[in-house]
Amino acid sequence: MTTTESVSEEFPVRFWDVGDLRGLDFDPFMDRQLREEPVSRVKLPNGEGHAWFVTRYEDVKFVTSDPRFSRQAVVGRPITRLAPHFIPLDEAVGFADPPEHTRLRKSVARSFTTRSLERLRPGAQRAADALLDQMEEQGPPADLMKHLHGPLPLAVISDLMGVPPVDRPQMAKWTNVLLSAAFTRQASEEAKEAMAGYFTDLLAARLDKPQDDLAGDLAEATTQGDLSTEEAVAIALLIQASAAHAVRNNSANMVYALLTHPGHLARLRAEPALLPQAIEELLRYIPHRNAVGIARIATEDVEVAGVLIRAGEVVHSSYLTANRDPAVFDNPHEIDFDRAHNPHLSFGHGPHFCLGSMLARLESEIILTSLIARFPKLRLAEPVEDIRWQRGALIRGPENLPVTW
Ligand code: FLV
Ligand code: FLV
């Protein structure tokens, strides 16, 4: 495998024709690659050229934590990818390598510790209670996307960031266009620019009048010389968009999984103490996204599972396939609340490990406990085939989640 010819023969470039999947169906291409060709070469619908695709648990951990695979090297390159555009601004933490990555992340890390987040719990619970009061008042059937999964994560991150209620519907619109492959490159980049403009203004307002929120912390970091304004804006944008969007979809997928696995839901009702463990298993099981997100580029020749990846080559890896690796998880395609050992990679691995993992868990806990406590007979209000799933999504989730009780 040292010559170009042998690489081409041994690793033909597979076109990954990412289609819309239904429900929580696992992408058949990902399943096949994990089982039959754990390191392969792929071409995605957008960008140029091809990339390596790494699927197994240990190999994914290696690629996402070894400093010879760089995110910074991706910036400005037309890498093969799912979306027509790049989601983060060039200065974002998602594109940074240590040590700059460490500096960028430090400016917001304090707000996302378990201890800081516990202070948000009472307010988040009150917001969930108020939303469910409205849903009950309106009566069944009701769309949980509209009543709960949409507004709650948006409210929680907006409160933390300091985005006032009047601006939240606009945030949701921009985020939907930014975090999707269904719009044109131009439309998505316009949404990103508009959002960047919004956060530039918000941070400037905090410099005039300091406030105790994430926008205030980021503004303060620019005056201390810890961050440039562009870096602070890029961090704010990534947190606001990703938090609201990821939790909206992932928490809806959790509820969908429970409503379509009534035995599991009944068990959670009977054993509420099981909830944290059940959430970890749902996080492992739910295929959070379509295809793959931001790639890395090898800065030196590196072997991955015996395959030589050359300096300059592009590497995609999948946390979804890692979560289904039978070497780590028995019966990986089954939801099993009794898994004793569940080291899933749903929040990523290495330096880019999700900043918001504890916030996402907190919100999912509030959503599931509230629904279980208030609606003993909660069930889908329409046949499962009639639920609409987002098209051209990066992060997968239902468009509507009609329930009755
Ligand atoms: O923030 C990112 C992200 C969030 C997410 O919920 C799913 C993802 O696949 C990603 C991602 O690929 C890159 C991110 O920066
Ligand atoms: O899904 C993606 C994504 C999600 C996100 O919340 C933040 C991101 O930076 C990304 C991304 O860069 C690529 C994705 O496919």
Side-chain angles (χ1 to χ4, degrees):
M1 161 181 354
T2 48
T3 66
T4 311
E5 296 82 63
S6 60
V7 170
S8 301
E9 277 168 30
E10 202 174 344
F11 298 98
V13 177
R14 317 240 175 238
F15 182 61
W16 190 349
D17 185 15
V18 184
D20 290 316
L21 296 158
R22 289 195 53 80
L24 303 178
D25 290 353
F26 199 76
D27 183 334
F29 179 79
M30 283 199 221
D31 185 48
R32 178 186 176 279
Q33 295 313 95
L34 173 63
R35 280 186 292 107
E36 295 178 16
E37 204 184 15
V39 177
S40 60
R41 297 199 303 172
V42 297
K43 181 174 169 45
L44 286 142
N46 280 293
E48 294 169 16
H50 50 75
W52 292 100
F53 178 44
V54 174
T55 55
R56 283 187 181 162
Y57 186 89
E58 287 302 329
D59 301 335
V60 170
K61 287 214 320 193
F62 175 65
V63 166
T64 51
S65 57
D66 190 292
R68 291 172 295 177
F69 296 101
S70 166
R71 274 285 180 80
Q72 183 62 58
V74 166
V75 175
R77 289 192 42 180
I79 291 189
T80 190
R81 61 186 183 271
L82 173 58
H85 59 296
F86 286 105
I87 287 101
L89 292 159
D90 287 354
E91 298 81 7
V93 64
F95 281 139
D97 293 329
E100 288 73 28
H101 173 270
T102 318
R103 170 179 60 84
L104 296 176
R105 202 159 145 138
K106 213 184 243 167
S107 62
V108 284
R110 199 165 48 88
S111 302
F112 289 90
T113 59
T114 310
R115 208 163 132 204
S116 302
L117 294 174
E118 276 309 312
R119 288 204 301 269
L120 298 184
R121 187 186 290 272
Q125 182 67 60
R126 276 196 303 277
D129 292 343
L131 287 164
L132 292 175
D133 286 346
Q134 285 173 20
M135 185 172 99
E136 267 201 296
E137 258 169 51
Q138 187 217 280
D143 180 4
L144 278 179
M145 298 311 287
K146 200 174 102 196
H147 283 280
L148 185 63
H149 300 288
L152 184 68
L154 180 62
V156 169
I157 197 61
S158 299
D159 281 343
L160 188 61
M161 181 65 70
V163 170
V166 61
D167 295 332
R168 295 177 191 178
Q170 178 64 258
M171 276 295 149
K173 280 187 200 152
W174 283 330
T175 297
N176 273 340
V177 180
L178 176 64
L179 285 179
S180 171
F183 299 88
T184 62
R185 179 172 185 155
Q186 193 190 342
S188 302
E189 283 175 354
E190 279 170 13
K192 179 158 78 171
E193 286 312 309
M195 243 177 133
Y198 179 92
F199 283 112
T200 304
D201 293 346
L202 186 67
L203 266 51
R206 291 296 183 273
L207 287 181
D208 282 346
K209 194 164 171 282
Q211 222 163 291
D212 183 18
D213 50 32
L214 216 45
D217 292 350
L218 286 165
E220 165 81 10
T222 65
T223 62
Q224 299 292 320
D226 296 334
L227 297 178
S228 69
T229 300
E230 290 74 19
E231 288 167 343
V233 166
I235 292 173
L237 188 157
L238 197 59
I239 290 175
Q240 175 75 33
S242 298
H245 191 76
V247 179
R248 179 187 78 181
N249 288 305
N250 198 272
S251 66
N253 287 337
M254 285 184 179
V255 171
Y256 174 84
L258 290 173
L259 294 176
T260 52
H261 293 78
H264 288 75
L265 177 55
R267 181 142 180 242
L268 265 191
R269 289 191 185 285
E271 298 171 59
L274 204 60
L275 191 74
Q277 207 171 316
I279 286 179
E280 295 311 303
E281 175 63 351
L282 291 167
L283 285 167
R284 183 195 69 83
Y285 177 81
I286 288 168
H288 182 60
R289 62 164 307 123
N290 279 316
V292 282
I294 315 176
R296 289 171 175 78
I297 291 183
T299 56
E300 301 171 25
D301 293 0
V302 192
E303 264 198 25
V304 178
V307 178
L308 179 65
I309 294 180
R310 297 260 183 208
E313 291 181 339
V314 180
V315 185
H316 276 293
S317 58
S318 174
Y319 298 125
L320 278 70
T321 51
N323 281 346
R324 302 290 181 114
D325 186 339
V328 180
F329 304 100
D330 294 336
N331 301 317
H333 299 295
E334 275 163 36
I335 304 176
D336 177 4
F337 289 164
D338 293 314
R339 268 178 216 287
H341 184 58
N342 188 357
H344 65 72
L345 301 184
S346 304
F347 292 116
H349 182 71
H352 293 278
F353 183 86
C354 178
L355 175 70
S357 66
M358 295 314 293
L359 180 58
R361 286 182 169 109
L362 184 151
E363 292 181 48
S364 296
E365 234 173 77
I366 288 175
I367 285 172
L368 294 187
T369 47
S370 306
L371 287 174
I372 287 172
R374 287 179 69 149
F375 304 100
K377 292 188 178 159
L378 189 73
R379 59 199 186 277
L380 288 176
E382 288 178 21
V384 71
E385 311 78 57
D386 291 353
I387 292 175
R388 289 176 283 114
W389 295 85
Q390 288 168 52
R391 293 168 173 276
L394 303 178
I395 308 302
R396 294 172 57 179
E399 265 175 14
N400 63 333
L401 194 51
V403 294
T404 188
W405 56 88

